[in-house]
Amino acid sequence: MVPARRRVETKRPVIMADPYIFDQLLGIANAALSSPLFIAIVSTAIAAFAGTWGAQLLAERTARRKEILAEIRGVNAALSFAFNIANTYIATKKQLTKELVAGYKQQRADREAHDMRVNALVIPANTTFTYQLVLQTILPPYSPIAELQKILLDRINPSGRALLLLTPLMQSIEGFADAAAQRNAWIDEVKKMPENNDAMKACLYFGTPFAPGRVDDRYPNLMDAIERYNDSCIGFSVQLVNVLREHGEKMAAEYGKDAPKISKPDFKMAGDLIPDLKEYARWVEEPKA
């Protein structure tokens, strides 16, 4: 049997710190911390850090003010274009389409009343209905919609409501131009018809049957479209002006003192030429949380 080996434990020597040496080291450290050289080094480091941090904050604030200034200038440019578009179609309505559409609607109503009297045997069936065939063409006005689109997409960062209004405004301008072009083409067709074909012209003008089961109602539909698109061009551009002005005022408030003035287009002189803006309210309502 092999005897078991005895475990030998080795004790590590305990090194005791010399109190005298510790006091000397502590004294040296305190002296270093209180020395003018150390204080100067620490103060310089703190000042350098504070200066760098302050400079960064100042640079960020200056850059932000430059961004806001550019935004405000872009908003004012967009406001001028939107105001121009609104005024253009307000003038078109005042000088042309309002009277043209109103006169046509009145003649349609008179024609319907005439037909009802004939059907009711109030007047003879061969009673002639007198009307005025208005063949005045419409030239779609120029509007800076391309310039407005470029500013809204490239130069400024407007609210989402402004971009939502841009699309239907562009569609309305295109729709007005297309309806006017089709009406002008219709006028050319009528002018080429024989002069003694008044009955057919009247049927085409009022959209009434010219033969059993045959109706050409292009003209009344085009007149309705011209009225609707003209009002939409006005309504959407006026709403866009309001939204852009609100955005610009927020930017000016953030900029603070010496902020550029925000343009404030005024439509008071337009009166009843501006359609009911409630019809376009859903395009500018803030989304509910």
Side-chain angles (χ1 to χ4, degrees):
M1 182 175 181
V2 180
R5 295 182 179 179
R6 297 180 63 185
R7 182 177 182 182
V8 180
E9 294 182 0
T10 303
K11 294 184 178 180
R12 296 181 180 179
V14 178
I15 301 175
M16 301 296 293
D18 189 332
Y20 174 76
I21 296 175
F22 180 77
D23 290 340
Q24 291 296 318
L25 291 174
L26 183 60
I28 293 172
N30 288 333
L33 291 174
S34 60
S35 68
L37 179 60
F38 180 81
I39 293 174
I41 293 173
V42 173
S43 299
T44 301
I46 294 174
F49 173 77
T52 302
W53 180 64
Q56 182 178 355
L57 288 180
L58 179 61
E60 291 177 355
R61 186 170 182 271
T62 301
R64 177 56 183 161
R65 284 174 67 83
K66 288 182 179 179
E67 290 177 0
I68 296 174
L69 184 60
E71 185 84 1
I72 291 175
R73 290 171 177 169
V75 167
N76 278 335
L79 276 169
S80 68
F81 287 130
F83 183 62
N84 179 286
I85 293 172
N87 272 338
T88 294
Y89 285 93
I90 288 172
T92 299
K93 183 176 180 179
K94 179 180 180 180
Q95 299 171 9
L96 183 59
T97 63
K98 182 179 180 181
E99 182 178 350
L100 187 66
V101 170
Y104 178 71
K105 284 184 174 181
Q106 184 59 56
Q107 290 201 89
R108 285 183 65 184
D110 293 343
R111 174 61 186 262
E112 291 175 0
H114 174 83
D115 291 344
M116 290 178 63
R117 295 176 67 189
V118 169
N119 294 333
L121 303 180
V122 174
I123 58 176
N126 59 351
T127 302
T128 302
F129 173 73
T130 303
Y131 72 99
Q132 182 181 6
L133 182 62
V134 180
L135 300 179
Q136 180 182 3
T137 58
I138 297 175
L139 180 64
Y142 167 78
S143 63
I145 187 62
E147 293 84 347
L148 175 61
Q149 180 187 22
K150 183 173 180 60
I151 289 180
L152 290 180
L153 296 179
D154 298 341
R155 286 184 53 186
I156 66 176
N157 184 29
S159 66
R161 295 185 298 163
L163 296 179
L164 286 175
L165 287 166
L166 177 63
T167 298
L169 174 57
M170 295 176 64
Q171 292 173 342
S172 298
I173 291 174
E174 292 175 0
F176 183 87
D178 181 63
Q182 290 191 51
R183 180 179 175 275
N184 292 342
W186 182 93
I187 290 174
D188 288 339
E189 291 180 17
V190 172
K191 286 181 176 180
K192 293 176 182 178
M193 295 176 65
E195 294 184 2
N196 60 351
N197 201 354
D198 292 338
M200 182 62 180
K201 292 179 181 179
C203 291
L204 296 176
Y205 191 61
F206 293 108
T208 55
F210 57 87
R214 300 191 65 183
V215 176
D216 185 340
D217 57 357
R218 284 181 298 162
Y219 192 81
N221 290 338
L222 287 172
M223 291 299 290
D224 290 342
I226 286 172
E227 179 184 32
R228 182 175 67 256
Y229 283 127
N230 198 162
D231 280 344
S232 294
C233 290
I234 298 171
F236 284 122
S237 55
V238 170
Q239 289 284 30
L240 184 55
V241 165
N242 295 335
V243 169
L244 287 171
R245 184 172 56 196
E246 179 183 336
H247 176 67
E249 289 173 351
K250 288 181 180 179
M251 291 293 99
E254 183 178 349
Y255 188 89
K257 186 179 180 181
D258 300 326
K261 298 286 186 181
I262 303 301
S263 300
K264 296 182 179 180
D266 188 358
F267 296 102
K268 292 180 180 178
M269 298 298 293
D272 62 354
L273 293 172
I274 296 180
D276 187 359
L277 295 181
K278 293 180 181 179
E279 297 184 13
Y280 313 92
R282 66 187 182 91
W283 296 92
V284 293
E285 289 178 350
E286 293 285 359
K288 296 181 180 180

